[in-house]
Amino acid sequence: MGLDGARSHDERTTATPRTPMPHPRPPARVPFDLAAWASAPRPEADPGVFRQDHRQLDPDRAEAAKVATWPLLLRAGLNAVVGWLAYVYGVEVAKYGTTLIGVLPTRSAFVAVSVVLTLNVLVAGIVIKVFGRMGRWPEVWRRYALPLLSRTVTEEVPATEEEQSEAARQRDPWAVLRQGGAGVAARRLDGEAVGDVDYVRIRRAWESAQADPAFLPAFVEQVSLRGAAAFAHPSEARELPGRAERHDLLLGQVRLGTAQDVPKNPLTHRSAGFALDPVVLGTSLLAVGPAGTGKTARLARPVAEALCLQALAGTACAVVIGAADADLGPDAWYDVVIAPGDPASRYGLDLYGAAQDPDEAAARLAEALLPDELTARAETARTALQQMVGPFHAAFGRYPGVRELRALLAGEPESLEALVKGLRAAERLGSFERDLEHREHQRGRADDPGALLADRLALLDRPAFEGAFATDGTGRPPFAMRVLDHPLRVRVKLPERSHPEAARMLSRLLVGQFVQAAGSRGDRSLFAGLVVDDASAALDAGIVRGLQRLRGANAGVVLLLRTLVDLPEALRAPLFGAVGCRAAFPGIAPWDGKLFSEAWGTHLVRETAVTLAPDTSGGIVRRAGRLGRKALSGTTAQTESVTTREVERLRWSPSDLAHALPAGHAVVSLTAVSGEQVPPLLVDLRG
């Protein structure tokens, strides 16, 4: 039977993993200030921006801020001096002019004073407008005078009682509970150490209670009884050991690095924190880069950590697939750890994903069993597997195990006789008699797909996998993908070193089951996230098509590849079209960079061209001077013409991606589920 929920913390597997690679970021934690974290500003921003404490930049101010302090102040001072002289001279000239036309010599003193004031104001306005623009006085005011004035006013004017009360209310993380009639629960939480996972989980429970007032007493009772541990994850875990990244669980963001302040990056992202969240992961992400460039340590592990934290907060479920020695977090991060090939593993794997339809389960298994070079025979293999799985399920009420299915596909008489007896006992022989006859006719032929599938299943019918794929209840409890509507944390450790071909099959099977299960969930309130550390063997045409359906299913996949050459050529372009987020790491091959470059397209850039030509202007004197200069210096006088135009250029060329990316960086483009796109960003992932 499948796992319908998360196991308790004590029931998790005790399998000893291989020693993981050291994580480059120290897991240093500071005391958590809940009030400051909950009340921190989170302004609206483009996808990919870490919004907690983010300060939005005005593009005009950002351009002006590039001017250094002393040149800016010197220019402002010089313009002020010249402006003052121009003002004095302009007022005198204006007075003299009005005297000539007979305006000032008048019997009315009021008229004379009015004319003088008007002239002063008019001349001052012209001077301020002209010299203020040249001297950038508004920028000096914003950059230096306004902060000093604001600081002075804040220090001199004490806050009123109303302002103090409003500030205290904003910093109260449980103000919404007090206002909603759950003051008792709020007072209980005031006296406990509450982390960000607890806060988000309790706030989520509160929102559910608000939807139906009948749940409010139950909410207050639970919080009053358990405090910060109320509504805890089924494992009772409230934090991840060794947590190292910076997270904002209110928005589901994990900060991976900083977008660099370079012309290729949009102004809205320059120097801003770079983050991923379910809004962008819902379109799936493809990352390509050689081994050792940081794909696992700086992308896969932080995303896995974020999904596990969100699962503890009750907002997501996580499935993480990788080699047994991949650095994807310790076993304590996960509720279920599956290690096929490890006798100490406490959990097995359901090869059929607990699918309700036998034909659907057989089709997915057939596609996973076949290697890339044999996909041309996928249709006949799928039919052959369905002709065995369907009758077996009808006869015995369960799916066949690996050894049973292998024997049926190979045509062993004892297995076929037992199947026929089971169908007669279940009174279903007539429904499947034609399938059995068709398999009997194909048995022994050179092109029999059953023999091919039996040979492939032999890779899983090994002593090391004993009990890992049992379907009769005698082996380990099998994990099935149908539990994606629970906040479960699952880690699958593939035996890539000891059984590489079996690991490839299992990887393809698990990814296919996830795509199928996530897209068919009835309850999509939880974000379903899948991280695949090496997806070179996990992709086929059906999975690539299924990735596009995940956008509307509140689910997403993170796929890591060393090179696109590992994929069949027919899959590369469709894969780029199926995912919304793409990341290129340093050292990728130029042919890989070409696909990224084509996907990111072109943009308009301002290009300046300088043309030099011999100077032939002037009369006899200038020409004679140029001849003398040439005789003395050996150089010809030239004229210089400058042409500026807008031209289309690639955002990132294949050569730049292959050779110009610094270590620890990546170029990442994002697409939100809503369709909002972010052009490729150069991101420093080292901190």
Side-chain angles (χ1 to χ4, degrees), residues 144-464:
Y144 305 106
L146 193 59
L148 180 61
L149 181 61
S150 176
R151 194 160 49 243
T152 303
V153 171
T154 303
E155 292 174 355
E156 293 180 355
V157 181
T160 63
E161 293 183 3
E162 290 78 4
E163 292 174 341
Q164 294 177 358
S165 176
E166 177 64 17
R169 188 188 66 81
Q170 291 179 353
R171 285 186 57 85
D172 180 9
W174 308 115
V176 64
L177 270 65
R178 304 183 206 278
Q179 296 172 358
V184 175
R187 287 192 294 272
R188 170 64 192 272
L189 294 170
D190 287 338
E192 294 198 15
V194 182
D196 53 354
V197 175
D198 300 325
Y199 182 78
V200 174
R201 187 184 65 250
I202 294 173
R203 283 289 299 264
R204 177 179 171 85
W206 170 253
E207 293 171 359
S208 300
Q210 290 292 97
D212 189 347
F215 294 147
L216 182 59
F219 173 87
V220 175
E221 180 183 359
Q222 177 73 214
V223 175
S224 301
L225 181 65
R226 304 198 62 193
F231 310 104
H233 186 266
S235 67
E236 294 295 330
R238 296 166 52 194
E239 184 58 279
L240 292 182
R243 171 179 169 181
E245 311 301 331
R246 184 180 176 188
H247 301 266
D248 183 10
L249 292 181
L250 278 178
L251 302 177
Q253 290 189 316
V254 53
R255 192 181 192 277
L256 301 183
T258 304
Q260 297 298 278
D261 187 6
V262 295
K264 284 182 177 290
N265 286 350
L267 281 173
T268 54
H269 287 74
R270 293 180 191 174
S271 301
F274 176 77
L276 296 178
D277 55 35
V279 174
V280 295
L281 291 179
T283 63
S284 296
L285 185 149
L286 173 67
V288 180
T293 54
K295 300 191 308 299
T296 300
R298 297 189 174 103
L299 177 62
R301 177 180 169 123
V303 172
E305 182 178 303
L307 291 174
C308 288
L309 283 172
Q310 293 169 30
L312 294 182
T315 60
C317 58
V319 179
V320 180
I321 302 173
D325 56 355
D327 182 19
L328 296 171
D331 289 356
W333 281 12
Y334 302 96
D335 304 304
V336 176
V337 178
I338 307 166
D342 186 349
S345 177
R346 296 186 58 186
Y347 295 101
L349 184 65
D350 188 342
L351 295 180
Y352 305 94
Q356 302 298 320
D357 183 4
D359 287 344
E360 179 183 338
R364 183 66 256 168
L365 180 58
E367 293 171 357
L369 290 176
L370 296 179
D372 298 333
E373 60 270 17
L374 295 178
T375 51
R377 302 177 63 181
E379 188 62 37
T380 57
R382 186 184 303 113
T383 302
L385 200 59
Q386 289 172 340
Q387 289 171 344
M388 291 290 97
V389 173
F392 191 96
H393 187 271
F396 302 105
R398 62 178 179 88
Y399 293 111
V402 173
R403 189 162 298 174
E404 294 168 324
L405 183 58
R406 180 187 175 191
L408 289 172
L409 291 170
E412 294 184 3
E414 297 82 1
S415 299
L416 293 174
E417 290 176 5
L419 177 59
V420 172
K421 290 180 180 179
L423 288 172
R424 285 199 182 102
E427 298 181 354
R428 299 289 303 276
L429 181 60
S431 302
F432 296 98
E433 189 172 6
R434 184 173 299 177
D435 284 344
L436 297 178
E437 290 177 355
H438 186 268
R439 286 295 309 129
E440 182 64 24
H441 291 158
Q442 285 189 319
R443 186 161 61 91
R445 295 174 51 179
D447 59 347
D448 180 14
L452 171 63
L453 291 172
D455 291 341
R456 300 293 295 172
L457 279 170
L459 297 171
L460 300 180
D461 189 16
R462 302 291 302 160

Side-chain angles (χ1 to χ4, degrees), residues 369-562:
L369 290 176
L370 296 179
D372 298 333
E373 60 270 17
L374 295 178
T375 51
R377 302 177 63 181
E379 188 62 37
T380 57
R382 186 184 303 113
T383 302
L385 200 59
Q386 289 172 340
Q387 289 171 344
M388 291 290 97
V389 173
F392 191 96
H393 187 271
F396 302 105
R398 62 178 179 88
Y399 293 111
V402 173
R403 189 162 298 174
E404 294 168 324
L405 183 58
R406 180 187 175 191
L408 289 172
L409 291 170
E412 294 184 3
E414 297 82 1
S415 299
L416 293 174
E417 290 176 5
L419 177 59
V420 172
K421 290 180 180 179
L423 288 172
R424 285 199 182 102
E427 298 181 354
R428 299 289 303 276
L429 181 60
S431 302
F432 296 98
E433 189 172 6
R434 184 173 299 177
D435 284 344
L436 297 178
E437 290 177 355
H438 186 268
R439 286 295 309 129
E440 182 64 24
H441 291 158
Q442 285 189 319
R443 186 161 61 91
R445 295 174 51 179
D447 59 347
D448 180 14
L452 171 63
L453 291 172
D455 291 341
R456 300 293 295 172
L457 279 170
L459 297 171
L460 300 180
D461 189 16
R462 302 291 302 160
F465 299 131
E466 187 70 29
F469 312 117
T471 61
D472 56 0
T474 59
R476 307 164 195 164
F479 165 75
M481 284 292 179
R482 65 181 173 87
V483 298
L484 294 181
D485 52 353
H486 297 276
L488 197 63
R489 303 168 294 161
V490 181
R491 168 75 163 99
V492 182
K493 297 183 175 182
L494 298 177
E496 291 189 354
R497 295 185 182 274
S498 57
H499 300 84
E501 190 59 30
R504 291 170 60 88
M505 288 192 299
L506 294 176
S507 176
R508 189 158 48 239
L509 176 67
L510 287 165
V511 176
Q513 288 181 353
F514 177 91
V515 171
Q516 190 175 39
S520 60
R521 287 184 302 168
D523 182 5
R524 298 178 176 179
S525 58
L526 298 181
F527 177 78
L530 172 68
V531 179
V532 186
D533 184 53
D534 183 5
S536 58
L539 299 174
D540 57 29
I543 292 175
V544 171
R545 288 192 299 268
L547 291 178
Q548 297 178 329
R549 295 193 294 268
L550 296 182
R551 298 192 181 195
N554 195 24
V557 176
V558 177
L559 303 171
L560 275 61
L561 290 173
R562 293 186 178 90

Side-chain angles (χ1 to χ4, degrees), residues 4 73 176 214 235 300 572:
D4 293 330
L73 295 178
V176 64
S235 67
R572 298 170 194 171

